[in-house]
Amino acid sequence: MTRKILAAANWKMNGSRTANRAWTDSFVPRSAELACNILVCAPSVYLSDLDRAFEGTKVMLGAQDVNEHANGAYTGETAAAMLKDVGCEWVIIGHSERRTLYGDSNERVAAKCRAAHEQGLRVVLCVGETLQEREAGTTIDVVTEQLQAALNAIGPQALAAGALAYEPVWAIGTGKTATPAQAQEVHAALRDAVRAVDPESADALRILYGGSVKPANAAELFAMPDIDGALVGGAALKAEDFYSICASAQV
Ligand code: PEP
């Protein structure tokens, strides 16, 4: 099955109204020429601005996290319905920075996936091992357990309506990229884990690689059979670099 490449930008806690306008002015007018699907995940405060900037274009909008509750006394948090309300179609859940810095356990990630799914948001579920876990030979066990928690919560079809992102923690923001072969091995194992539950969803599911993706390495990653796109941090802050990464996708 051919899966269309999805190039997703994760701006993290970066940007300003001025910088975002410069980015969209550079990227959006040329986005129609790109063959892949495109997603930009931005800080919550800028989502409304970006919804306007992306209106009528092929660029999709996403948030970087969501609270697991529908509404209520959760100071500082953002509900899934609010993200929908300001134009988001997607949300990243379980990013390693959320897992390590803000205590997002597999259980909390699962609850967030459920909350997002109930509001019709498409989830980019992030999984990935630390360097210690890789060196201990437990990579596949760790990522499969992370996947399973979310899979139990929302099921394979909802997962396939979104995307899975394999992001080795040791490769995020470090300049160290997993080799295409290393990434392919984990992507194939993740797809097999979904196939065990629902073969059709496994074939449809896009599995993105994340971890120091840049214009120079995107094409070789996209060439692997189970790598269906990228989740891009640092390089996505420059419109030109993100454009080059998107342009590396042939399908
Ligand atoms: C990320 O934060 O999802 C990421 C992959 O970051 P970077 O591309 O900077 O490694």
Side-chain angles (χ1 to χ4, degrees):
M1 139 170 291
T2 11
R3 292 173 290 267
K4 195 165 194 161
I5 293 283
L6 171 62
N10 174 15
W11 284 0
K12 310 194 187 191
M13 198 172 73
N14 293 295
S16 64
R17 279 190 147 165
T18 307
N20 300 349
R21 207 167 303 118
W23 196 101
T24 56
D25 284 352
S26 162
F27 187 90
V28 174
R30 293 182 294 158
S31 59
E33 301 153 17
L34 294 166
C36 62
N37 289 143
I38 303 156
L39 168 64
V40 173
C41 298
S44 305
V45 289
Y46 297 125
L47 292 171
S48 292
D49 284 354
L50 291 167
D51 182 42
R52 279 189 289 276
F54 297 155
E55 200 183 344
T57 75
K58 63 182 290 180
V59 186
M60 300 181 288
L61 182 63
Q64 299 172 7
D65 187 35
V66 65
N67 188 269
E68 64 270 40
H69 300 285
N71 61 281
Y74 303 102
T75 302
E77 293 292 291
T78 308
M82 297 171 186
L83 298 179
K84 282 287 281 190
D85 198 27
V86 296
C88 283
E89 189 182 339
W90 291 78
V91 60
I92 296 173
I93 297 179
H95 191 280
S96 74
E97 286 151 18
R98 301 291 325 171
R99 291 179 188 265
T100 57
L101 302 174
Y102 301 101
D104 279 11
S105 61
N106 279 342
E107 292 67 35
R108 187 145 191 244
V109 167
K112 289 181 173 191
C113 288
R114 210 175 291 118
H117 175 52
E118 276 166 9
Q119 289 300 322
L121 285 168
R122 302 166 80 179
V123 172
V124 178
L125 172 71
C126 299
V127 300
E129 84 287 5
T130 62
L131 186 58
Q132 238 179 349
E133 289 163 341
R134 173 157 285 267
E135 286 172 352
T138 57
T139 297
I140 303 296
D141 292 343
V142 169
V143 297
T144 309
E145 202 177 314
Q146 290 170 335
L147 165 66
Q148 210 62 54
L151 204 49
N152 292 342
I154 59 170
Q157 289 173 4
L159 187 77
L164 183 59
Y166 168 56
E167 299 206 307
V169 178
W170 48 271
I172 297 179
T174 59
K176 283 187 207 149
T177 318
T179 63
Q182 277 175 324
Q184 167 60 28
E185 184 193 3
V186 180
H187 284 224
L190 288 166
R191 197 179 305 286
D192 282 348
V194 179
R195 183 162 286 119
V197 187
D198 178 5
E200 253 180 64
S201 297
D203 282 340
L205 175 67
R206 285 184 289 193
I207 309 181
L208 319 181
Y209 169 77
S212 301
V213 175
K214 36 191 179 275
N217 59 23
E220 60 180 14
L221 289 161
F222 294 161
M224 303 309 283
D226 288 292
I227 300 184
D228 311 308
L231 182 55
V232 188
L237 294 175
K238 286 195 192 131
E240 199 53 55
D241 284 359
F242 188 59
Y243 187 88
S244 300
I245 291 168
C246 293
S248 306
Q250 302 303 317
V251 244

